[in-house]
């Protein structure tokens, strides 16, 4: 990495207050660090006009514990043709201008308050917004006097999939010449439901806002708001979710909490 690149990367880390690569790996699960993509791709056709019948992802396997650095299905819009597609992208954003041969720190989240201005996210926010369709996500609650945090699953009351606001990037690996598509999800303040366990939550989009989020509009900041708590549900689950290799339907089964963890 050149001296200029090193200085720019250090400056971005300082401005964003971002953790190191190692810290991201250790703490990725503290804020929207794992999601559920268990529905088939056709059910994720949640944006009007999306058609994936002939898509190469029609046999995409269900994911009950999808984690950062893995590929997830993401909804994007081609601003030249207007076509909307469902594509596999890697979770952990690499800005197109990154010169680090490893891709840099690869943030998985971007705060709605600063996403339009921070160097790592601002171009993607204005030009390459996307939607991460999920069936649910996980958050972890700190328990007083205990080192381990209690995981919770969060989803819609009716079980329907929903869309999380995100950004995507296309980065060329300087070593291999391969183009790598990556994304990050946007977080906002919590609603009353999630506030019981965390102070942030994913920016869940209302279905009527999907088209505008994917549009050419430069700054749809009013769409990044806490989703209505009354439409959602939350329940405690096993710490098996802490390991990405545990990826099966039993992950989301509700458990009974001890009195000190409730």
């Amino acid at each position: 990495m050149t001296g200029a690149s090193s200085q720019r990367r250090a400056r971005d880390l300082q401005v964003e207050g971002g953790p190191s690569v190692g810290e991201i790996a250790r703490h990725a699960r503290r804020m929207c660090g794992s999601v559920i993509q268990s529905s088939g791709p056709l059910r994720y056709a949640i944006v009007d006009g999306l058609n994936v019948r002939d898509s190469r992802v029609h046999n995409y396997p269900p994911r009950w514990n999808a984690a950062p650095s893995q590929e997830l299905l993401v909804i994007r819009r081609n601003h030249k043709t207007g076509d909307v597609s469902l594509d596999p992208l890697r979770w952990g954003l690499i800005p197109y201008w990154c010169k680090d041969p490893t891709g840099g720190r690869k943030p998985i989240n971007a705060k709605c308050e600063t996403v339009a201005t921070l160097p790592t996210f601002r171009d993607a926010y204005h030009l390459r917004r996307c939607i991460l369709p999920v069936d649910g996500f996980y958050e972890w609650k700190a328990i007083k006097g205990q080192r381990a945090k209690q995981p919770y699953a969060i989803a819609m009351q009716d079980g329907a999939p929903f869309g999380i606001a995100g950004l995507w990037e296309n980065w060329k690996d300087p070593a291999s010449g391969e183009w790598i598509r990556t994304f990050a999800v946007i977080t906002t303040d919590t609603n009353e439901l999630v506030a019981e366990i965390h102070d942030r939550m994913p920016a869940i989009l209302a279905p009527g806002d999907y088209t505008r989020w994917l549009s050419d509009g430069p700054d749809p900041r009013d769409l990044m708001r806490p989703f209505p708590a009354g439409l959602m549900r939350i329940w405690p689950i096993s710490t098996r979710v802490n390991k990405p290799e545990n990826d099966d339907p039993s992950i989301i089964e509700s458990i009974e909490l001890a009195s000190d963890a409730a």
Side-chain angles (χ1 to χ4, degrees), residues 14-225:
Q14 182 178 17
V15 170
E16 296 171 24
S20 67
V21 174
E23 287 172 328
I24 287 176
R26 290 194 298 274
H27 302 298
R29 295 178 178 277
R30 292 191 306 178
M31 185 199 308
C32 191
S34 193
V35 301
I36 307 167
Q37 273 200 342
S38 57
S39 293
L42 285 175
R43 197 176 184 216
Y44 289 142
I46 55 178
V47 176
D48 289 343
L50 178 62
N51 186 335
V52 296
R53 286 180 298 178
D54 298 321
S55 171
R56 58 192 175 93
V57 299
H58 68 281
N59 289 324
Y60 200 82
R63 307 293 298 278
W64 301 92
N65 192 13
S69 79
Q70 298 177 345
E71 286 195 341
L72 282 74
L73 296 177
V74 171
I75 297 171
R76 304 181 298 158
R77 175 176 174 269
N78 186 313
H79 292 275
K80 293 182 179 180
T81 66
D83 293 336
V84 178
S85 61
L86 186 65
D87 305 294
L89 273 66
R90 187 180 302 172
W91 192 0
L93 194 79
I94 305 176
Y96 69 90
W97 44 256
C98 181
K99 302 301 182 183
D100 189 323
T102 68
R105 67 184 189 91
K106 307 178 186 69
I108 64 171
N109 295 320
K111 290 185 176 181
C112 67
E113 296 88 346
T114 54
V115 68
T117 57
L118 290 181
T120 297
F121 308 116
R122 63 189 176 198
D123 287 349
Y125 173 71
H126 293 296
L127 301 172
R128 291 175 290 279
R129 294 187 296 271
C130 63
I131 298 173
L132 174 67
V134 300
D135 298 279
F137 62 95
Y138 303 113
E139 294 291 2
W140 281 254
K141 179 182 180 180
I143 307 299
K144 187 176 181 179
Q146 295 186 20
R147 183 176 180 181
K149 295 182 178 181
Q150 173 59 49
Y152 286 79
I154 304 163
M156 293 296 154
Q157 286 278 10
D158 60 4
F162 53 97
I164 296 174
L167 343 153
W168 74 277
E169 282 279 21
N170 214 8
W171 176 74
K172 189 174 184 179
D173 187 323
S176 66
E178 175 188 7
W179 286 97
I180 299 175
R181 294 178 298 180
T182 63
F183 76 96
V185 301
I186 298 175
T187 66
T188 186
D189 291 332
T190 56
N191 58 25
E192 299 88 342
L193 184 74
V194 182
E196 298 178 8
I197 62 171
H198 209 286
D199 60 358
R200 302 288 293 181
M201 69 179 289
I204 300 171
L205 297 167
D209 293 333
Y210 294 152
T211 299
R212 183 179 163 210
W213 181 257
L214 295 176
S215 74
D216 296 322
D219 191 9
R221 66 178 64 196
D222 58 299
L223 304 185
M224 300 180 290
R225 55 186 182 266

